[in-house]
Amino acid sequence: MTENAQQQPSAPHTELPTQYAPADVEGPLYERWVERGYFEADAKSDKPPYTIVIPPPNVTGSLHLGHAFEHTLIDALTRRKRMQGFETLWQPGMDHAGIATQNVVERELGKEGKSRHDLGREAFVERVWQWKGESGGQISGQMRRLGDGVAWSRERFTMDEGLSQAVQTIFKRLYDDELIYRAERIINWCPRCLTAISDIEVEYQDDDGELVSMKYGDGDDTIVVATTRAETMLGDTAVAVHPDDERYKHLVGKEIRLPLTDRSIPVVADTHVDPEFGTGAVKVTPAHDPNDFEIGQRHDLPAITIMDEHAVITAHGPFQGLDRLEARSAIVAALRAEGRIVAEKRPYVHSVGHCSRCKTTIEPRLSMQWWVKVGPLAKAAGDAVRDGRVKIHPQEMEKRYFDWVDNLHDWCISRQLWWGHRIPVWYGPNGEVVCVGPDEEAPTGEGWRQDTDVLDTWFSSGLWPFSTLGWPEQTESLAKFYPNSVLVTGYDILFFWVARMMMFGLYAMDGTPPFHTIALHGMVRDQFGKKMSKSFGNAVNPLDWMDKYGSDALRFTLARGANPGVDVPIGEDWVQGSRNFANKIWNATRFALMNGATVDGPLPETAKLSATDRWILSRLNSVVAEVDALYEDFQFAKLSDALFHFAWDEVFDWYVELSKTTFMAGGEPAKVSGRVLGEVLDVTLKLLHPIVPFVTETLWTTLTGGESVVVAEWPKDSGFRDTAAEQEIESLQSVITEVRRFRADQGLQPGQRVPARLTLDGTPFAAHEAAVRQLLRLTPEGEEFSATATLPVAGATVALDLSGTIDVVAERKRLAKDLAAAEKEKAQANAKLGNEAFLAKAPDNVVDKIRGRLAKADEDIARIQNQLESLPHA
């Protein structure tokens, strides 16, 4: 029947409190798990490995719902694999988060009236390490609150000694292979943080700006261009038009005067220009726009930098020293005075990039930076998915992955910060450039200096799957746990973190990808599907919900919404509903323990089992198989839903209720059902444990006397199925459900007892009469019994004596009114569905909705007519 009947000894049952109090249970339980080493991983083990790395949270961060969601999914996967006998490693750690951490410490210094320059580089970095030790990493404690089963003894930090060695090693190898180089290119520049930032650190939002159209040139050589950044015109070195645009063919190759300057600039023909957009002519500022930079490269145009690192104008003339926004207004005014403004549109809403850390508007800037040549690395990352070595789940996300890696630009990896991995390159007094590996001595002597920049945070986090295992040393952990089994992460960083790990993993590990599967999930949103944000007023601190409802409730809610690659809506009502589910599990287990549920000994022979027992064991094995299949497909929402309905509906609402008469009667049948109920609860609690670990641990250890469900054996489907028993109980459920519905329709109170005659002979559930009467509150018929309502259901007949219980005349009147309304609804739906003109124009979802209304009306009519026929005649 099931294969776990004798997995653990049973101890005398400890009485459970009447109510489940998560706050009293969760903290002590988690510390016990950690103390016993359940989450640690042994590289010497002969068990098969199962490895997942945590997407390293920022050292400055705290637990938000996105973390809680992702961690819940990873924890569920690793807890199940641990129970299945795998040597399971969930690798924890944190990212040093260069810009974010430096900003935090600089703000602290600001409170003291100091800047990092007052301290100097070395002292400032020491101050950051001090902050990290005292205040950083609060998320670790919050992960414990959530129940994260990570191997804490292996916790890593992207700036620790081992990872620093890995960073220096791969930089040196890439440099020697000519895959790292230094060049002047356009980058995202933050004038507040004073550093280049990556694309993922740029947040785009719609801002109110201005679109200004202005005339360049004079007389017949006039051309009109439009811009939202008028100040950059000081750095224009060309105007570009499309080669096929007849309007400007006479100007291509000519020089026209650039207003407000003493320069002339050429008109060039470039296919990048869209002749249908605006005037079909664009100003070209190679030093301050990425597209213009590319045009400048193609046409050998000079690149004139007109702003400094603070976004202050440096170009000679009256605008020198002005902030870029001040200069914008001043330049438009000057152009207007010369009669060169053709049109001004204000406000002009357009998408503008902002620094994700300080919200300053990003300035594209030509700058000398270090770059990774991603071409061969990106090709390898694409090939690993194309040839099946790495699978992306859901598969439809593959296209987005290929769109990205097949079109990657070289990656700017240098940052103008002090906190981070310093670039291991030294410059000599005579122009020498030396890249130093971890085992090499840096050059010394007069005039030698190290590059002042540090590496992009994504550079070190891109090494995470193997650097955390000891690479570049060939450690036992690296041999055992690389490659990772699966990467669980959001689709929003598929292009950034995931692609970088793929490139570095394949490069460093001789073509072995860093993971077998990339399982992508969506973003957590509010119950209306809106992005959560403090500015929207809908952001939620998950700790608040855990305090109020328990960690299990939050975890179950998040898992139940986790469809692969799809955003997850969540609201407090749903967490409250999950808390109710945890309470239901608790109360049902208490009832079971009080009524003899046990895991002692093997299950009784099939011949000794009632149909109810055989039904629930058959369903139990089906659910084990279903949950296993859904786990392998990362269908967390579906498996959570399957477990919810099996536990609540089938086990607690049906099996327990149908078995109550057996337990009350006592004797051997009660012992048999007690053993079956113990088995069902044992397996159900194990199946639920990866998602709701705390309540299941408490209940399972109480039920079984076992050490911990964390290290219990995962249930297996024994293959036992009893179709006949399932059909029998389904028919019985139909009888009970139909009579309950009839009672409710007649306005009878749930506890109101009604005389009834049950004709169950000849049906497959004649033995269930006591349970049927108990569940339906039906008393024996008696001598004066009069069948005023008869319900034929599933081959059985239930005759009820409703004399004196309802007002028949009033009930007939009410039902007649409901029948008329249902028939009217049916007529309206039929009229629309019979209208060809309507069907031709209406969207499919509207037509489907009307068809649904028709089907519902038909059901209501049949139900009401049946009720009318069942009523006694007045």
Side-chain angles (χ1 to χ4, degrees):
M1 275 160 251
T2 61
E3 295 185 4
N4 61 312
Q6 301 186 64
Q7 287 177 3
Q8 65 284 313
S10 179
H13 298 311
T14 304
E15 185 176 343
L16 290 168
T18 55
Q19 290 184 323
Y20 176 49
D24 297 337
V25 169
E26 293 175 351
L29 264 189
Y30 187 84
E31 291 309 314
R32 189 182 314 155
W33 291 334
V34 173
E35 289 166 7
R36 292 179 177 178
Y38 291 153
F39 304 140
E40 296 303 323
D42 182 4
K44 299 181 185 295
S45 167
D46 57 3
K47 296 178 183 178
Y50 187 80
T51 316
I52 298 182
V53 294
I54 189 174
N58 288 352
V59 67
T60 60
S62 60
L63 191 74
H64 57 64
L65 272 178
H67 287 128
F69 172 56
E70 187 167 80
H71 290 200
T72 294
L73 304 188
I74 300 175
D75 198 36
L77 290 173
T78 51
R79 284 178 182 270
R80 171 175 173 262
K81 285 296 182 180
R82 188 178 294 112
M83 295 171 74
Q84 287 183 315
F86 286 77
E87 192 62 36
T88 303
L89 170 60
W90 182 9
Q91 173 67 54
M94 286 183 292
D95 192 286
H96 65 278
I99 295 177
T101 306
Q102 180 156 320
N103 280 349
V104 167
V105 177
E106 286 198 78
R107 281 197 295 270
E108 293 297 313
L109 284 174
K111 295 175 184 177
E112 303 170 14
K114 298 178 182 178
S115 74
R116 62 181 163 124
H117 300 285
D118 294 323
L119 271 66
R121 183 169 193 143
E122 188 173 329
F124 177 77
V125 170
E126 281 297 319
R127 181 70 175 260
V128 179
W129 278 108
Q130 179 185 340
W131 175 88
K132 191 257 182 187
E134 296 173 355
S135 306
Q138 62 173 313
I139 198 169
S140 296
Q142 296 165 344
M143 287 165 59
R144 292 170 182 264
R145 282 288 315 278
L146 190 64
D148 287 3
V150 299
W152 286 113
S153 69
R154 292 173 171 266
E155 187 174 12
R156 302 303 298 269
F157 180 55
T158 51
M159 287 282 287
D160 69 29
E161 185 177 348
L163 269 66
S164 294
Q165 182 183 22
V167 167
Q168 195 171 354
T169 298
I170 202 163
F171 187 100
K172 171 68 173 175
R173 291 187 186 179
L174 289 165
Y175 182 87
D176 289 346
D177 287 343
E178 298 183 349
L179 292 173
I180 282 183
Y181 63 94
R182 193 167 183 244
E184 196 173 40
R185 300 277 180 83
I186 290 283
I187 44 87
N188 301 309
W189 181 265
C190 176
R192 155 61 183 79
C193 298
L194 298 180
T195 181
I197 65 173
S198 66
D199 291 339
I200 199 171
E201 292 164 322
V202 178
E203 292 180 349
Y204 288 90
Q205 66 185 47
D206 287 340
D207 286 358
D208 286 344
E210 60 181 356
L211 181 66
V212 179
S213 298
M214 47 198 182
K215 289 189 297 185
Y216 284 11
D218 299 295
D220 293 338
D221 292 343
T222 298
I223 196 166
V224 176
V225 297
T227 183
T228 57
R229 300 163 65 216
E231 68 280 7
T232 62
M233 60 88 58
L234 298 175
D236 286 357
T237 57
V239 171
V241 297
H242 194 276
D244 299 330
D245 194 331
E246 294 292 337
R247 293 173 295 177
Y248 302 118
K249 280 198 171 182
H250 69 288
L251 287 176
V252 173
K254 284 190 174 183
E255 297 265 338
I256 60 174
R257 189 169 78 84
L258 180 66
L260 308 182
T261 72
D262 57 0
R263 292 190 291 116
S264 292
I265 57 176
V267 177
V268 299
D270 196 281
T271 54
H272 170 77
V273 180
D274 180 2
E276 303 298 322
F277 182 77
T279 63
V282 297
K283 57 191 289 297
V284 182
T285 320
H288 292 278
D289 183 274
N291 293 321
D292 292 3
F293 179 80
E294 297 295 333
I295 294 174
Q297 292 286 295
R298 288 193 289 272
H299 297 276
D300 198 25
L301 299 173
I304 301 174
T305 299
I306 60 148
M307 293 182 213
D308 66 13
E309 59 190 14
H310 298 280
V312 171
I313 300 298
T314 57
H316 294 298
F319 311 108
Q320 187 174 6
L322 295 180
D323 172 79
R324 55 181 166 169
L325 298 182
E326 296 171 335
R328 183 174 301 171
S329 300
I331 286 170
V332 170
L335 289 168
R336 190 184 299 114
E338 287 192 5
R340 290 188 174 273
I341 297 298
V342 175
E344 296 178 72
K345 185 176 182 180
R346 296 189 186 87
Y348 179 73
V349 179
H350 61 133
S351 182
V352 177
H354 296 259
C355 174
S356 63
R357 303 302 175 190
C358 68
K359 311 309 176 188
T360 302
T361 300
I362 289 301
E363 189 63 43
R365 186 170 189 256
L366 186 63
S367 179
M368 182 66 76
Q369 302 285 345
W370 285 94
W371 303 81
V372 171
K373 186 186 295 183
V374 299
L377 302 174
K379 182 182 184 303
D383 290 345
V385 174
R386 287 189 170 94
D387 64 25
R389 281 176 290 156
V390 178
K391 300 201 178 300
I392 293 180
H393 191 279
Q395 191 174 359
E396 55 264 28
M397 288 286 183
E398 281 187 4
K399 183 181 183 302
R400 297 179 66 179
Y401 176 79
F402 292 136
D403 286 346
W404 181 257
V405 297
D406 292 347
N407 297 285
L408 269 179
H409 297 292
D410 285 359
W411 170 23
C412 175
I413 55 171
S414 45
R415 299 290 180 267
Q416 290 64 55
L417 304 171
W418 288 356
W419 172 244
H421 295 283
R422 195 162 174 183
I423 288 176
V425 172
W426 272 254
Y427 305 105
N430 300 311
E432 303 95 332
V433 179
V434 176
C435 180
V436 178
D439 299 321
E440 300 172 348
E441 291 291 330
T444 57
E446 187 176 348
W448 282 93
R449 59 183 178 84
Q450 186 178 358
D451 195 299
T452 57
D453 288 353
V454 300
L455 288 164
D456 178 11
T457 296
W458 295 98
F459 191 94
S460 51
S461 60
L463 314 181
W464 193 247
F466 52 93
S467 64
T468 52
L469 298 173
W471 187 90
E473 302 298 325
Q474 297 305 305
T475 64
E476 287 183 322
S477 290
L478 188 64
K480 178 74 173 180
F481 296 113
Y482 186 92
N484 289 196
S485 306
V486 61
L487 173 75
V488 179
T489 192
Y491 63 71
D492 57 317
I493 57 173
L494 172 64
F495 318 126
F496 301 100
W497 187 47
V498 178
R500 281 149 174 70
M501 285 190 292
M502 285 285 282
M503 291 190 296
F504 281 164
L506 289 159
Y507 175 79
M509 299 300 294
D510 300 320
T512 302
F515 17 74
H516 297 301
T517 302
I518 302 168
L520 298 170
H521 59 73
M523 313 295 290
V524 178
R525 298 181 178 272
D526 69 13
Q527 66 262 45
F528 306 109
K530 190 174 182 180
K531 180 181 177 181
M532 285 192 172
S533 166
K534 290 181 180 179
S535 60
F536 294 155
N538 63 350
V540 173
N541 183 346
L543 295 173
D544 293 340
W545 281 352
M546 287 192 281
D547 288 342
K548 195 170 183 180
Y549 302 110
S551 298
D552 285 333
L554 177 63
R555 289 171 61 116
F556 192 73
T557 304
L558 291 165
R560 206 172 177 194
N563 290 297
V566 178
D567 288 346
V568 183
I570 185 172
E572 186 169 0
D573 289 350
W574 305 343
V575 184
Q576 185 175 352
S578 295
R579 188 271 314 273
N580 296 343
F581 179 50
N583 289 342
K584 182 78 170 181
I585 302 169
W586 184 272
N587 293 333
T589 305
R590 283 189 73 246
F591 168 84
L593 291 172
M594 290 188 293
N595 285 275
T598 180
V599 295
D600 288 336
L603 282 169
E605 297 174 0
T606 304
K608 294 184 178 181
L609 301 176
S610 69
T612 308
D613 294 334
R614 286 182 281 113
W615 160 71
I616 198 62
L617 289 173
S618 181
R619 286 292 304 126
L620 179 67
N621 278 284
S622 294
V623 169
V624 170
E626 181 183 7
V627 167
D628 273 335
L630 291 170
Y631 259 117
E632 295 304 315
D633 199 34
F634 306 100
Q635 297 282 356
F636 295 98
K638 289 182 179 179
L639 72 89
S640 300
D641 213 46
L643 286 171
F644 174 86
H645 288 294
F646 175 71
W648 192 307
D649 300 342
E650 298 186 77
V651 179
F652 305 147
D653 277 359
W654 282 110
Y655 181 74
V656 168
E657 292 299 320
L658 287 171
S659 300
K660 278 183 177 179
T661 53
T662 303
F663 289 131
M664 286 189 290
E668 187 62 23
K671 290 182 180 179
V672 170
S673 290
R675 179 65 189 89
V676 170
L677 180 53
E679 179 75 7
V680 171
L681 284 174
D682 173 21
V683 173
T684 302
L685 290 170
K686 287 177 179 175
L687 293 174
L688 283 165
H689 172 73
I691 299 174
V692 285
F694 295 107
V695 68
T696 52
E697 171 81 338
T698 306
L699 296 176
W700 187 85
T701 53
T702 303
L703 171 71
T704 68
E707 177 188 344
S708 172
V709 71
V710 176
V711 291
E713 185 177 346
W714 182 255
K716 296 183 178 70
D717 172 18
S718 69
F720 174 77
R721 301 290 190 278
D722 192 325
T723 305
E726 290 195 35
Q727 291 175 344
E728 180 174 334
I729 300 304
E730 286 172 10
S731 297
L732 182 63
Q733 290 171 333
S734 296
V735 172
I736 294 170
T737 300
E738 187 58 36
V739 175
R740 280 176 171 166
R741 184 184 295 119
F742 178 79
R743 287 178 56 110
D745 288 341
Q746 307 308 317
L748 298 176
Q749 295 299 314
Q752 187 173 351
R753 297 193 172 273
V754 177
R757 177 188 298 138
L758 306 184
T759 307
L760 302 174
D761 296 338
T763 66
F765 42 84
H768 300 289
E769 179 167 348
V772 171
R773 287 189 178 277
Q774 172 68 21
L775 291 172
L776 293 174
R777 305 294 189 267
L778 303 179
T779 60
E781 53 201 87
E783 294 181 3
E784 300 181 0
F785 179 81
S786 174
T788 58
T790 303
L791 302 176
V793 187
T797 303
V798 180
L800 303 172
D801 184 354
L802 302 178
S803 304
T805 59
I806 60 172
D807 183 336
V808 176
V809 174
E811 187 61 19
R812 282 190 176 279
K813 186 175 180 180
R814 183 184 71 81
L815 289 172
K817 183 178 179 181
D818 291 346
L819 181 61
E823 288 173 337
K824 181 179 179 181
E825 175 74 2
K826 178 179 180 178
Q828 290 175 340
N830 272 327
K832 287 190 175 181
L833 294 174
N835 185 335
E836 293 296 333
F838 170 78
L839 293 177
K841 295 179 180 179
D844 290 343
N845 65 317
V846 174
V847 175
D848 289 342
K849 188 174 181 180
I850 294 171
R851 288 194 179 115
R853 285 168 48 194
L854 176 60
K856 175 69 166 53
D858 282 334
E859 290 175 9
D860 289 344
I861 290 169
R863 176 179 55 80
I864 296 168
Q865 287 175 338
N866 187 48
Q867 290 175 233
L868 284 167
E869 291 170 5
S870 301
L871 282 174
H873 294 286

